[in-house]
């Protein structure tokens, strides 16, 4: 692994500061984690700040290891400004797709309840109070109910969406680089590894949003996919316009 580059180092420090701060002051999650837009706790800055919040030591350790490993290689070729622009863009793209998918399924559940005599304002008010009506379970499937209540009451944290953007860019630039993983004894080329994990995220994402009749995994799979998609589209644009050959110093 090459030496840690300047922006990667700064992002690592910021993430660690946020993590330590959130452990010392748990209420910080209410301000810096990202809430669902219809939740009154949602704030305009949360699509940015949630990227620096993490749910546990393993969560931040994995993300930071991946950021240092892949981010340093990309910053080395792109320069600091271009790398930071890419990283933040992928994080925002992750938040956008995650929120968009959740909004679609949330509204679908709301429409089901309204069609069966419930008032939307009353439903949202109950959710805002941290309560649920158990009769909703008679109209929604198990996974719909879990997704519906979890979307409104839950939060999103982590740099994973931005990290998936870095993984996609790395595979785009170094498709034949072999990646060795602890749980897979044989190295896998980046061009196979990245599509593979994205396919798993796609399956688990839809599985957790009722299409396959099962509950969620507690992981923001569509945020991963949003970060990867944003990264892929940016790489295509840069390749077409030859921007990927220029450093932004």
């Amino acid at each position: 692994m090459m030496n840690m580059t300047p922006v990667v180092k700064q992002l690592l420090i910021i993430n660690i500061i946020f993590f330590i701060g959130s452990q010392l002051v748990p209420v910080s999650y209410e301000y810096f984690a990202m809430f669902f837009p219809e939740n009154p706790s949602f704030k305009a800055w949360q699509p940015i700040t949630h990227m620096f919040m993490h749910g546990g030591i393993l969560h931040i350790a994995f993300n930071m290891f991946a950021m240092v490993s892949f981010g340093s290689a990309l910053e080395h070729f792109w320069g600091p400004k271009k790398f930071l622009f890419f990283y933040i863009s992928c994080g925002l793209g992750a938040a956008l797709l995650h929120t968009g998918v959740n909004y679609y399924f949330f509204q679908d559940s709301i429409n089901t309840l309204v069609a069966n005599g419930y008032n939307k304002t009353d439903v949202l008010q109950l959710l805002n109070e941290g309560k649920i009506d158990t009769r909703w379970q008679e109209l929604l499937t198990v996974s719909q109910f879990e997704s519906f209540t979890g979307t409104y009451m839950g939060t999103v944290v982590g740099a994973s969406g931005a990290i998936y953007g870095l993984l996609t860019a790395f595979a785009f630039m170094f498709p034949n680089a072999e990646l060795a993983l602890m749980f897979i004894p044989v190295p896998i080329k980046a061009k196979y590894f990245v599509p593979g994990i994205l396919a798993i995220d796609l399956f688990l994402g839809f599985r957790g949003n009722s299409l396959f009749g099962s509950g969620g995994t507690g992981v923001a799979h569509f945020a991963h996919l949003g970060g990867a998609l944003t990264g892929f589209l940016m790489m295509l644009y840069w390749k077409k316009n030859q921007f990927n050959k220029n450093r932004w110093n």
Side-chain angles (χ1 to χ4, degrees):
M1 181 172 59
M2 66 174 58
N3 294 331
M4 195 183 308
T5 47
V7 171
V8 167
K9 183 178 181 179
Q10 292 166 13
L11 288 172
L12 177 63
I13 293 172
I14 294 171
N15 274 276
I16 292 174
I17 290 174
F18 265 75
F19 180 70
I20 294 174
S22 66
Q23 301 307 299
L24 296 176
V25 188
V27 72
S28 61
Y29 281 98
E30 296 181 15
Y31 297 96
F32 299 129
M34 188 172 70
F35 284 83
F36 186 62
E38 292 204 33
N39 189 313
S41 295
F42 176 81
K43 307 299 180 184
W45 59 78
Q46 291 173 355
I48 289 288
T49 57
H50 88 281
M51 287 187 265
F52 301 99
M53 302 290 288
H54 289 84
I57 189 67
L58 290 179
H59 189 200
I60 188 173
F62 177 81
N63 279 344
M64 294 303 98
F65 176 78
M67 183 183 69
V68 171
S69 300
F70 300 103
S72 293
L74 296 172
E75 185 182 349
H76 173 76
F77 285 98
W78 290 346
K81 292 182 180 179
K82 186 174 183 179
F83 171 77
L84 182 61
F85 176 77
F86 183 87
Y87 182 88
I88 296 298
S89 296
C90 289
L92 291 175
L96 180 62
L97 183 61
H98 172 80
T99 301
V101 170
N102 276 354
Y103 187 84
Y104 172 81
F105 284 107
F106 183 84
Q107 291 301 322
D108 184 59
S109 295
I110 281 283
N111 292 337
T112 298
L113 296 178
V114 170
N116 284 274
Y118 287 90
N119 181 275
K120 179 178 179 180
T121 301
D122 293 338
V123 171
L124 293 178
Q125 180 61 37
L126 199 61
L127 288 172
N128 191 42
E129 295 172 1
K131 301 175 183 178
I132 59 173
D133 187 333
T134 55
R135 292 174 298 176
W136 297 344
Q137 294 173 289
E138 300 173 4
L139 302 172
L140 304 175
T141 66
V142 172
S143 56
Q144 281 179 318
F145 180 77
E146 291 177 353
S147 176
F148 176 65
T149 56
T151 290
Y152 191 90
M153 298 179 180
T155 58
V156 181
V157 297
S160 301
I163 299 301
Y164 267 66
L166 299 185
L167 282 171
T168 301
F170 185 87
F172 200 100
M173 293 181 66
F174 313 105
N176 293 314
E178 294 186 339
L179 306 179
L181 305 174
M182 290 183 293
F183 50 88
I184 300 178
V186 180
I188 303 175
K189 291 184 177 181
K191 63 183 179 182
Y192 301 129
F193 171 76
V194 173
I197 61 172
L198 292 178
I200 293 173
D201 270 307
L202 183 63
F203 171 76
L204 293 177
F206 279 120
R207 184 174 183 266
N209 280 286
S210 81
L211 296 191
F212 295 106
S214 300
T217 63
V219 177
H221 296 289
F222 281 104
H224 296 172
L225 293 167
L229 178 61
T230 302
F232 180 73
L233 292 177
M234 290 180 69
M235 293 301 293
L236 281 181
Y237 180 80
W238 285 351
K239 181 179 180 180
K240 180 180 179 181
N241 291 276
Q242 301 298 308
F243 287 176
N244 61 317
K245 294 183 178 179
N246 301 319
R247 288 172 55 90
W248 293 3
N249 293 317

